[in-house]
Every structure is written in C-alpha cells, then in structure tokens.
Amino acid sequence: MSRIPREVQLGRRLLGHWAKRADDARIDVIKLKLFITKRCNLDCVHCGIGGAGFDGADELSSAEVLALWAANPRLQMLSLSGGEPFLRDDLCEVALAAARLPKLMALSVNTNGWYSDAVLDLARRVGPAMGRAKLYLAISSDGPPEAHARVRRSEDSWARKEDTLARLRAAAIPNVVIRHNVNVNRWNLDEVVPYIEANEARGEACFVSMYSASRHYSHGAGHHRELRAFREELSQQQALLRRLQDRPGFLPNRFLVLAEDFYETVEREQPVPCFSLRASLIVEHDGMVRPCINFPVDLGRVQEHGFDLEAIASGPKANTLRETIREERCPICWTPNEAFVTMMCNLPNPDVWKDPRQALVRLGRLKG
C-alpha cells in the first residue's frame, strides 16, 4: 500500500474543517507564521530586515509566545521565522512548547544557517519531542557559492550554512526534516535552477519561493522596482518555471504549476481563492497580527486580545479585509507562506488538481 504524502495528510485534516467549496466563510486559523525576531546578523540584498536596525526591544517575550501557543491549541502548522530566529536565546524553549500543541503536524524553523551549534541543539532537543509531527529546519540557500554570497552580502555565509547542513545530515535526528530554502530572485535567476536540480539529484529537498516585496521586509521603492523587473523577466522565462515543476512533492509541484500561470502576464490574478485571514495569518515580532506578508494591514496586537488569533480574525476590520481578499483587491501574490495552506484548503478545486477525481485518489477516498 502506497504511503500518502505528508502534505496530503495535512489536506485531509483540513477537509475535516472546511466545506468542499472555496467560498466557505468560516474562520479556523490552523496555520501561523510567527516572525519571532527581526534581528538579523546578515543584510541580504533581497530582504531589507538585516539593515533596518532592529534591536529586539519590542519583541514578544518568552511568556507572551507561550501564551500565544496556549490560546491557540488548534494550530496545525506553525512557522518560526525572522530575521534570524537563532538570535533569540529562548528559541528552544518556545519551540519545545510548540511541539506539545495537540493538533500540530508541522513545525518549521527558518534560518540562514550561521549558528550551527544552536541549530544542532534545537534539532536534538525538539526533534524527539515532536511525536507524530515533523520539525522542518529550513536553511536559506540561494544558489552556488558566488550567487549565495551575492544575495547574502557575505563571503562567509556559504561555508557557515554548508557546515550546518553537514552536521544536521550526520546527526540524523528523528522527526527532523532538513531542506534548502531557495528564493528565486533577480540576483540568482541565471544560476538557481541548476543548483536546485543538483541538490535534488542528491536527494536533498529544496523549498522554492519567488522574490516578493512588502512593508513587512522593510522594503522601499527600490525593492518594489526590483519586483516589477523580476516579474517581467520571469514572464519571459516560462521554460525556467517548467523546469522547476519537475520536482518531488505534490504541493511544491502544484505551487510552481500555478506560479507559471501567475507569472505568465504582468497583470496578476489569484491562481486559486486565497484563504488568508480564514485559515492562516502572520504575527510580527511585536505581536501585530496581519493577513499575510504581502498585505501588511494591522489588525491589532495579540497582547490586546488575550492572544486569541481567531478573536482577532473575527473582528470587524478583519471581516472587511476578508472581503477585500475575496474580491482580489489586495496585493495579488503567490508566495509559499499563504499558497500552501490555500492549496490545501482548495483541494476539491479543480484549478489545483486539474482533475477532481485525482484529488479523491490522492486523498485515499478512491482507489486509483
């Protein structure tokens, strides 16, 4: 009997919460991305956070992060990002607490891989505590050494992250999944696809995203100009996107299939109905809740609402924004932060699966 892919298992869980139509209005926040810090040791060309001078003074405290977990026990997917999360001394503590969330299936920690000892320590402590869930350690990888150094603005960054990857592989810790986080952008566009293909030929998973610009990243007018230029370049390079599609993993493949449609023209349309503010949202380092990284409208801080995400997502401002998202009057985007949970919530939608019967086969409801 074939093993059901993990992303499809997640999808089966989501179908237990959502009606089989994409216009269902219910609110059930099961995916959270917490930017646990905006401090960073690097100043990457495509980001902007590292050069913005964040000092950590307004970050959520350990107690506040733990209160966030306690108030939201229905979370199934949780991502800890930054900045560089391993600059927080309490990262292991809050990750261990997250591992105990009763419905959790996936905990992801994003890192540039600079702090090898801290990454290994977290993997060894949190991995065995995950139970049936998985701990994903996502190491930023921007192409071969020259491209990586160019994007990261650091000649040492390649060696540091490669050392972290090697030590994680050697440790072979239960429940820990290692992956390369690869952002495709103007600074690595010519080199990144062969790099991804070479890694995956060695059996190393790559999680691919596309460059985006947003106030979340402290981006200014220059970054938005770069984004427009990148989208125009990518619309002329559909063969590149088709090469990326020939990759393992159902949802990564679907993400890139739909990205091809998204980047085909400069005028964007949402590939499938977005579930931001229904199934997912983000929390910034200071507790501010927003629909997603590309629609950074402030909904209030968790500290002001008893840390209850669904209470915030059910408020009048959120209700108005949900309608804005439904009508595609938001900044139209196709980024993994929102796209993966959106695709899972759209599993019955033929725009995702192309063939509705295939959806049932992959979900184990029918025999192929």
Side-chain angles (χ1 to χ4, degrees):
M1 184 175 181
S2 62
R3 182 177 180 273
I4 298 174
R6 186 159 192 82
E7 63 265 23
V8 177
Q9 295 179 40
L10 285 165
R12 291 179 76 172
R13 284 237 186 145
L14 291 181
L15 284 179
H17 292 289
W18 298 95
K20 293 182 173 62
R21 52 191 175 88
D23 62 351
D24 193 305
R26 76 183 69 185
I27 299 166
D28 192 0
V29 178
I30 46 80
K31 195 265 185 179
L32 169 65
K33 190 174 188 77
L34 171 62
F35 293 91
I36 197 162
T37 184
K38 278 201 169 178
R39 290 174 286 151
C40 194
N41 59 306
L42 297 178
D43 182 17
C44 303
V45 66
H46 64 322
C47 181
I49 289 177
F54 292 102
D55 61 6
D58 56 351
E59 290 175 359
L60 291 173
S61 68
S62 302
E64 287 172 327
V65 176
L66 297 179
L68 183 61
W69 302 164
N72 298 279
R74 293 163 63 84
L75 288 173
Q76 295 182 34
M77 291 174 283
L78 177 59
S79 174
L80 303 179
S81 192
E84 172 48 53
F86 285 93
L87 287 174
R88 281 194 62 136
D89 295 335
D90 62 351
L91 187 62
C92 271
E93 175 190 354
V94 298
L96 274 170
R100 302 185 189 103
L101 285 165
K103 295 183 178 294
L104 190 73
M105 291 191 72
L107 170 62
S108 173
V109 182
N110 300 334
T111 175
N112 59 37
W114 190 275
Y115 301 102
S116 294
D117 290 344
V119 175
L120 265 291
D121 182 55
L122 183 139
R124 290 186 175 118
R125 292 173 60 189
V126 179
M130 291 298 294
R132 293 188 303 164
K134 295 293 183 184
L135 170 64
Y136 293 85
L137 289 175
I139 315 296
S140 296
S141 301
D142 299 296
E146 298 80 7
H148 187 84
R150 184 164 60 248
V151 172
R152 298 284 147 181
R153 290 175 170 158
S154 167
E155 295 297 327
D156 297 327
S157 58
W158 168 268
R160 297 292 292 251
K161 68 98 176 174
E162 284 294 303
D163 177 59
T164 299
L165 284 164
R167 292 176 66 187
L168 284 170
R169 291 186 206 107
I173 301 164
N175 301 325
V176 174
V177 179
I178 309 161
R179 70 185 186 196
H180 298 256
N181 254 17
V182 184
N183 181 262
V184 180
N185 53 63
R186 292 196 77 197
W187 299 276
N188 65 6
L189 189 58
D190 294 334
E191 301 143 289
V192 71
V193 176
Y195 173 76
I196 292 168
E197 292 172 336
N199 276 312
E200 293 188 335
R202 294 193 299 268
E204 298 187 3
C206 292
F207 187 81
V208 179
S209 63
M210 306 293 172
Y211 176 66
S212 62
S214 159
R215 180 162 60 92
H216 160 78
Y217 289 109
S218 304
H219 283 162
H223 287 95
H224 286 275
R225 284 194 296 272
E226 292 287 355
L227 176 61
R228 286 192 294 272
F230 171 66
R231 286 180 166 179
E232 289 169 4
E233 287 180 23
L234 208 53
S235 70
Q236 304 301 314
Q237 298 201 35
Q238 295 298 293
L240 179 147
L241 284 171
R242 283 190 286 275
R243 280 177 66 184
L244 284 172
Q245 290 165 20
D246 187 22
R247 304 172 54 247
F250 176 75
L251 282 181
N253 172 271
R254 289 293 95 184
F255 170 75
L256 289 161
V257 167
L258 294 170
E260 182 181 354
D261 295 338
F262 181 73
Y263 285 102
E264 190 171 10
T265 61
V266 177
E267 295 299 323
R268 310 295 166 205
E269 293 182 357
Q270 198 68 40
V272 290
C274 182
F275 272 72
S276 289
L277 261 186
R278 286 188 281 170
S280 67
L281 44 72
I282 70 168
V283 174
E284 296 284 7
H285 66 292
D286 58 359
M288 182 60 72
V289 178
R290 292 170 173 165
C292 72
I293 59 170
N294 292 299
F295 195 17
V297 179
D298 297 345
L299 291 169
R301 289 184 168 80
V302 291
Q303 306 94 308
E304 301 161 356
H305 296 269
F307 297 92
D308 186 340
L309 296 175
E310 290 188 11
I312 298 172
S314 302
K317 188 171 184 179
N319 291 337
T320 300
L321 289 177
R322 248 187 314 279
E323 186 66 14
T324 300
I325 293 168
R326 189 186 69 80
E327 294 176 354
E328 298 190 9
R329 292 184 287 111
C330 59
I332 305 300
C333 67
W334 191 240
T335 58
N337 290 311
E338 291 69 44
F340 274 53
V341 72
T342 279
M343 286 189 292
M344 286 188 276
C345 290
N346 276 284
L347 283 175
N349 185 333
D351 288 337
V352 175
W353 296 87
K354 305 301 181 188
D355 175 1
R357 187 179 186 280
Q358 182 191 12
L360 296 175
V361 171
R362 293 298 295 268
L363 287 168
R365 305 285 179 84
L366 293 176
K367 293 184 178 179

